[in-house]
Amino acid sequence: MDPIKTRRDGAILEVTLDRPKANAIDLATSRIMGEVFAEFRDDPELRVAILTGAGEKFFCPGWDLKAAAEGDAVDGDYGVGGFGGLQELRDMNKPVIAAVNGIACGGGLELALSADMILAAEHATFALPEIRSGTVADAASVKLPKRIPYHIAMELLLTGRWFDAEEANRWGLANETIAADQLMDRAWELARLLASGPPLVYAAIKEVVRDAEDSKFQDAMNRITKRQLRSVDVLYSSEDQLEGARAFAEKRDPVWKGK
């Protein structure tokens, strides 16, 4: 059984993690996910991805401990993009939406954090329980204090406690909380909105955000204005840049070509 299901509709790719019973990720699944997201990144016809889990109970609980007990090494080959194929994937300059349909804990929450937007079903729950098993939630330790208030992030990391979708939304971890039966409809609605937008601008936004994360403001601005970031250089020389200006002047909707 293929652990990853994909659905392609126009410029949108839906990626579903489907590994009964809990959608946990082993090394083989991680490598497949990396291939899927790398292909999405490199396909000029695709503009937006949605990541979700099969079923109504689990988005993803993270690392497959059963597979680990059977020989999967925690420092094994996760494939391109690292664990889950997304969080270390280089040059991912397209929007990714995580539609969290249930439990997202440990590496599953870290996977959701790798997306650009998180939609959470009302019954979804979250945790970083690594502390209880004597290990570190590595990616979350890097990302979470930059996404939500520091003291809340540290509480979640240091206690491993569970929190619900409403709390995730309150701290800005989730963009929206949505009834479970409306989650995927909303994800696709948002994806279609993004797919109608300017892909070269999205690419520039994502690269600028990544580059500026650990930079001084003026250093980041200098790299942008001097066109030292590849996506910015491509944008400023593109047909889409001219199309945006023309469409504004002509009071019409722009037609984005991604070039």
Side-chain angles (χ1 to χ4, degrees):
M1 179 178 178
D2 191 341
I4 304 299
K5 304 291 193 301
T6 60
R7 170 191 170 196
R8 182 169 179 159
D9 186 348
I12 301 168
L13 179 70
E14 181 183 280
V15 181
T16 303
L17 178 57
D18 186 7
R19 287 195 74 229
K21 301 179 178 177
N23 294 335
I25 296 175
D26 61 0
L27 290 177
T29 300
S30 182
R31 290 193 290 267
I32 294 171
M33 293 177 76
E35 292 169 2
V36 167
F37 283 114
E39 289 174 4
F40 162 71
R41 177 196 62 191
D42 298 337
D43 188 332
E45 301 302 319
L46 289 173
R47 297 189 177 184
V48 184
I50 301 169
L51 172 62
T52 193
E56 300 177 354
K57 186 174 181 180
F58 291 97
F59 172 73
C60 175
W63 179 237
D64 187 340
L65 295 178
K66 183 178 179 181
E70 294 174 351
D72 264 14
V74 69
D75 58 351
D77 178 12
Y78 292 104
V80 60
F83 180 82
L86 188 58
Q87 62 187 13
E88 297 177 64
L89 187 61
R90 295 178 64 85
D91 301 323
M92 174 54 94
N93 288 338
K94 298 177 180 180
V96 179
I97 302 165
V100 179
N101 57 301
I103 292 171
C105 63
L109 176 50
E110 292 176 327
L111 184 59
L113 285 170
S114 301
D116 301 294
M117 302 178 190
I118 298 176
L119 306 180
E122 290 176 338
H123 71 285
T125 53
F126 306 83
L128 294 164
E130 285 87 344
I131 188 74
R132 300 177 184 176
S133 57
T135 190
V136 61
D138 48 12
S141 296
V142 174
K143 292 181 178 181
L144 198 61
K146 298 178 180 179
R147 306 289 179 81
I148 66 175
Y150 173 85
H151 296 103
I152 303 302
M154 292 305 292
E155 177 200 350
L156 298 176
L157 287 162
L158 294 172
T159 67
R161 73 170 176 85
W162 288 86
F163 57 103
D164 61 17
E166 188 279 330
E167 184 175 357
N169 183 260
R170 186 166 75 246
W171 297 125
L173 185 64
N175 295 77
E176 301 176 34
T177 55
I178 303 162
D181 61 353
Q182 299 173 23
L183 177 66
M184 294 311 297
D185 287 342
R186 175 57 182 145
W188 274 86
E189 178 184 26
L190 181 56
R192 291 187 183 99
L193 173 64
L194 294 174
S196 70
L200 295 183
V201 178
Y202 293 157
I205 289 171
K206 290 199 65 171
E207 186 173 13
V208 167
V209 169
R210 284 197 310 270
D211 180 76
E213 191 169 33
D214 296 311
S215 300
K216 293 180 180 179
F217 174 79
Q218 197 58 56
D219 291 340
M221 288 300 297
N222 288 342
R223 284 192 289 276
I224 295 168
T225 57
K226 293 178 181 178
R227 297 171 63 158
Q228 293 175 347
L229 302 179
R230 181 181 179 278
S231 62
V232 174
D233 185 50
V234 169
L235 172 65
Y236 286 173
S237 303
S238 68
E239 293 179 29
D240 277 2
Q241 178 87 11
L242 293 174
E243 168 64 8
R246 290 192 188 108
F248 179 82
E250 295 168 7
K251 298 181 180 180
R252 59 174 175 81
D253 291 333
V255 178
W256 307 117
K257 296 180 180 179
K259 60 182 182 179

